[in-house]
Every structure is written in C-alpha cells, then in structure tokens.
Amino acid sequence: MSKKRISVVSLVLLWIACSFQAAAQMAQTPYSSMGIGSLNPQGFASNQGKAGVGIAQSSPWFINNLNPALLSNVNLTLIEVGGSYDGRTVHDEQYSQFSGSGNLSYISIAFPIMAGKWTMNFGFNPYSNINYRINQGTSPVMTGPLAPDGSAYIYRSQSLQGEGGLRTAYWSNGVRLNKNFSIGLKASYLFGFYTREQISSYRDERAFDLDPSVAEEAFRFSYLTAYQDKISVSDLAVQLGGRYRGKIGEKKWLNIGLTYDVQADLSGSREIALERRVSTGNPYAPEVIRQPILDDPGYTTDLPAKLGVGLAFEKEYKYSIALDFTQQDWSNHLQNSGSDAYSLGNAYKLALGGEFTPDMFSVRSYFSRVAYRAGLSFEQTPYLILNDNGGSTNVTEMAVSAGASFPVGYNFLSVAGAAGVRDGGDNAFRENYFQITLGVTFSERWFIRRKYD
C-alpha cells in the first residue's frame, strides 16, 4: 500500500475515533425537544451547497448519500470526510439567545466492485440531534419561610433541557442495470441515546447571610428537582432507490430519481427517575437523592416511512439543475417532549438547486475548474404548535444556500453555507440560523491490479 493510501486510511481511522468522543450536535434549538430531535441533513458538502438536492443527479467525483442507486456513477475509490458549524439565534416575544456548535459530521467510503456496474459504500454520520434548554420563568414560593414584610425568601425557576441524538452506520450498494436504469439499497444501523429533563430549581435569598445558622437553613432550601427521562434505542433501517437517466441532446440528460425509506421500528430501554440535587456551592447537603419511577427494558418507538422524488436536468461536466421533494408523516410517532404544547405532524420539503462548472478540463484557469453551487428550499417541518382553541400551527423553514468545490489534484475541497429561518407563528419560537459545511474528497484507484505501483 502506498504512503498516500496509508495516510488516507489513518485519517479515516482517526476521524472515527474522534467522532465517538465528540457530541455531533447542532446549536441549541427548542424544536429538538420533540420526537427524536432535529433531523440532520444526510447529504454531504457537495449537496448542501445546492439546498441539499441529490435524489436524481450526482457526480462521479463525489459520493451521493441521498439515493443509493446513484452510487453506480462512481468508478473510483472515494473517501469523503466532513465537518460543520451550526449557529442559531432563538427569539420569543421578549428575549433572544445565540448558540453555536461545530463538530465532525460524516465519513464515507465508496469503491467499485464492478466498474461502471456496481459500487459499494460504507459510512457513518449523525441522524438526529437533541440540544435545548428552555427557561419557563421564576416565581416566589409563598409556602416556605417568609420575610418580615410578607415577601418570599425562596424562588423557584423552572426549565426544560435535553441532549443526545441518533447516529447511523450504513452499507449501501448501487447497481446499473443498463444505460438508463439504476437501482440501489442502503442498510443502516441506527443507534443512540437521549436525555430529557424537567427541572425545578429552588433558591433561598438568605443563602449568603453572614449569620452561619441563617445561611445553613437557607442552603437547605436551595436545591433542584429533576424529572429525568433517559432513552436508549437501536435497530436496522432500509432505504430503496431507483434512477432513470435518459439522453435528450448532445451531452444533455434528464434524470428522475425515487427513494423510499421503509418504516423502522427502534427498540431499547427507557428509564424515568426523580432526582433531588443540591445547588452549586451548597456545603451542607452534598448527596444526590434518586428515586426510580420507571425501568422499561422493552421500550419501542419508530421512524416513519419517507418518500423522495427528484428531477434533474444536466449537461455533462458543465451544469445541472435539480428539484427534490420529500415527504414523511410523523403524526403517529410516539414522542416524549416533556411538554403538552407540542406535537408532530406531516412533514415535507421542496428544494431547488443548481451547479455550474465553467470548464472542468481547463489548463489555463484554475477557477474555471471550480464547481459553483446555489439553491433554496421550503420545508414544512414535523413540529406542530398547539393553540389554545385546540388547533395547531406548522413550524415552517425557509433557507438559501451556496457552495463550491475546489480541485486539489484529483481530490476536492468542498465548502457550503446555508442561512435560514424557522418559524412557528406568533406563539412559538423563531430561529434564525446559519450553517457552514466543509468536506474533503479523496479519490484513488484501489482494488485494481497494476503492473507498477
């Protein structure tokens, strides 16, 4: 094995090791309190730069993780590694808060088994993320010790918080049946855990009184209680894919893609407990008291079936424009958000994206060989905000994106950026966000017998 191959393999192994240590999370978003959290985009940097489209069209220089049938376009061994940064500002009627998070995102390896006919792919990436903290306000506790003027010493703050998510390790195959039709199969192992908590925190204003006896009494009233819900699940998921590619002119093609994610039933365990924890800095009661409420080793939930349809027009090595539509109904999904104000419903997304390369084979101009991308999307998310009158409002999301892939020898450095708004109406949170994705694609001819190395 050449030094270059050893370096690439070492990088891949290092990424996998690091990925288990890093929490591949988005920035904090209150909508991740619902269901299995916020769903991660499954496309790589080359897709994210054009609104995530890729069900119908792909390039032989990049791995397509959206439709396994398109893997048959890959005739080289490709390794893709990517990372992303997510920044979000959450607004309500009174306050706004910014948070950001950057992590390694995906690793994928594709190689031809039969060049031009059958390509295999292995990969690893996050599927969903839960990361939120929702403050529900502070109020005086009038049933405890009172000041001489009748006011409360003790105040209670309530909040909801959660963390965790699901990851997926997958094995995909794309097979070209003839010059027009390709089919594909993707088998994934989904696994992960997430914790949600409803917290009531009590603070006694006398805790720092100079009189030690007063301070000790106050610290006994300074603690928090947490209703904690821990879930751990895993199971297999299957995606089927197909693609039709028809020639409509000189180097011009019309592509139609179709994907179907079979409903996945996840199984695992669920633990619910009530904890009494001391407040930070309390020297009088260091112990944590935990009262188990539920221990269910047979917990089950589901991922609803998902349908994807794509249409793309392209001129080889020059430009492409694609339209993708996906639909997934979460209405019957069992969720544990800790709030009665939220529910889940039918979700769909419509995305339009394009790509342009001035001259892929130019020897005079480097930037003529760069692939430039842009796109826009509209999404009705699965999140529903329940109204006082019994109705509900869909949380919608709109985004624009742009990106480029820069050739480095036979490899590529891809950059993608997106900015969007997620809004649930007057009585819900509004999010303004931006995402940056950076991906590196290595290409090599492996598993091919050579006369010279």
Side-chain angles (χ1 to χ4, degrees), residues 1 13 22 25 70 104 123 126 128 131 155 266 322 341 356 398 425 439 442:
M1 184 178 287
L13 294 176
Q25 290 190 333
L70 299 179
L104 299 170
S128 72
N131 185 19
Y155 289 82
L266 306 180
F356 174 68
M398 298 181 65
F442 302 97

Side-chain angles (χ1 to χ4, degrees), residues 115-128:
K117 292 186 178 294
W118 175 16
T119 299
M120 188 178 293
N121 174 218
F122 296 92
F124 178 88
N125 58 276
Y127 185 86
S128 72

Side-chain angles (χ1 to χ4, degrees), residues 29-35 90 92 132-136 160 196 333 335-345 382-387 391-393 395 424 427-431:
T29 165
Y31 295 113
S32 69
S33 65
M34 292 180 270
V90 181
D92 64 10
Y132 66 92
R133 183 179 180 87
I134 305 172
N135 294 320
Q136 297 182 303
L160 302 174
R196 292 185 168 99
H333 174 77
Q335 64 140 349
N336 305 284
S337 67
S339 173
D340 295 329
Y342 306 125
S343 186
L344 297 175
Y383 314 125
L384 298 177
I385 307 301
L386 304 185
N387 304 324
S392 60
T393 302
V395 177
N427 299 319
F429 295 103
R430 176 185 174 92
E431 293 181 0

Side-chain angles (χ1 to χ4, degrees), residues 91-344:
H91 309 266
D92 64 10
E93 295 178 350
Q94 295 180 328
Y95 305 102
S96 66
Q97 178 180 325
F98 174 82
S99 66
S101 178
N103 286 288
L104 299 170
S105 297
Y106 59 83
I107 174 70
S108 189
I109 304 174
F111 49 89
I113 302 299
M114 297 175 62
K117 292 186 178 294
W118 175 16
T119 299
M120 188 178 293
N121 174 218
F122 296 92
F124 178 88
N125 58 276
Y127 185 86
S128 72
N129 284 294
I130 294 175
N131 185 19
Y132 66 92
R133 183 179 180 87
I134 305 172
N135 294 320
Q136 297 182 303
T138 300
S139 59
V141 179
M142 304 305 296
T143 57
L146 300 177
D149 62 358
S151 62
Y153 280 130
I154 302 172
Y155 289 82
R156 180 179 65 182
S157 300
Q158 293 180 287
S159 64
L160 302 174
Q161 66 183 40
E163 62 179 6
L166 297 180
R167 298 182 182 184
T168 176
Y170 59 85
W171 170 62
S172 301
N173 290 269
V175 177
R176 188 189 308 276
L177 300 179
N178 53 47
K179 66 178 183 179
N180 298 115
F181 289 95
S182 300
I183 59 173
L185 170 70
K186 179 179 181 180
S188 303
Y189 178 69
L190 286 159
F191 62 98
F193 68 92
Y194 38 97
T195 302
R196 292 185 168 99
E197 293 183 328
Q198 303 177 50
I199 294 178
S200 295
S201 178
Y202 297 86
R203 183 187 76 254
D204 193 320
E205 298 294 334
R206 302 170 299 163
F208 299 98
D209 195 290
L210 295 178
D211 186 337
S213 61
V214 175
E216 181 175 355
E217 180 185 3
F219 267 120
R220 290 191 177 120
F221 289 101
S222 297
Y223 63 93
L224 63 84
T225 60
Y227 180 86
Q228 185 182 80
D229 190 349
K230 286 185 175 182
I231 294 175
S232 176
V233 292
S234 64
D235 220 317
L236 297 177
V238 174
Q239 181 189 54
L240 306 174
R243 195 272 297 267
Y244 168 79
R245 176 177 171 84
K247 193 170 186 178
I248 57 175
E250 183 65 26
K251 295 186 178 180
K252 295 180 180 179
W253 300 83
L254 179 67
N255 303 282
I256 301 173
L258 181 68
T259 60
Y260 182 74
D261 293 61
V262 181
Q263 176 176 312
D265 296 316
L266 306 180
S267 60
S269 62
R270 183 182 185 190
E271 297 179 5
I272 299 178
L274 185 65
E275 288 189 353
R276 185 184 188 275
R277 307 167 186 168
V278 298
S279 299
T280 302
N282 187 341
Y284 298 100
E287 73 280 355
V288 174
I289 301 174
R290 180 178 176 86
Q291 176 63 50
I293 297 175
L294 174 69
D295 185 1
D296 180 10
Y299 175 80
T300 60
T301 187
D302 69 285
L303 295 181
K306 181 179 180 180
L307 176 68
V309 180
L311 179 68
F313 172 76
E314 66 169 308
K315 183 175 181 180
E316 283 185 351
Y317 309 119
K318 192 70 174 180
Y319 61 82
S320 67
I321 184 168
L323 180 68
D324 281 4
F325 174 81
T326 57
Q327 183 272 335
Q328 190 172 27
D329 189 356
W330 291 83
S331 302
N332 297 319
H333 174 77
L334 175 63
Q335 64 140 349
N336 305 284
S337 67
S339 173
D340 295 329
Y342 306 125
S343 186
L344 297 175

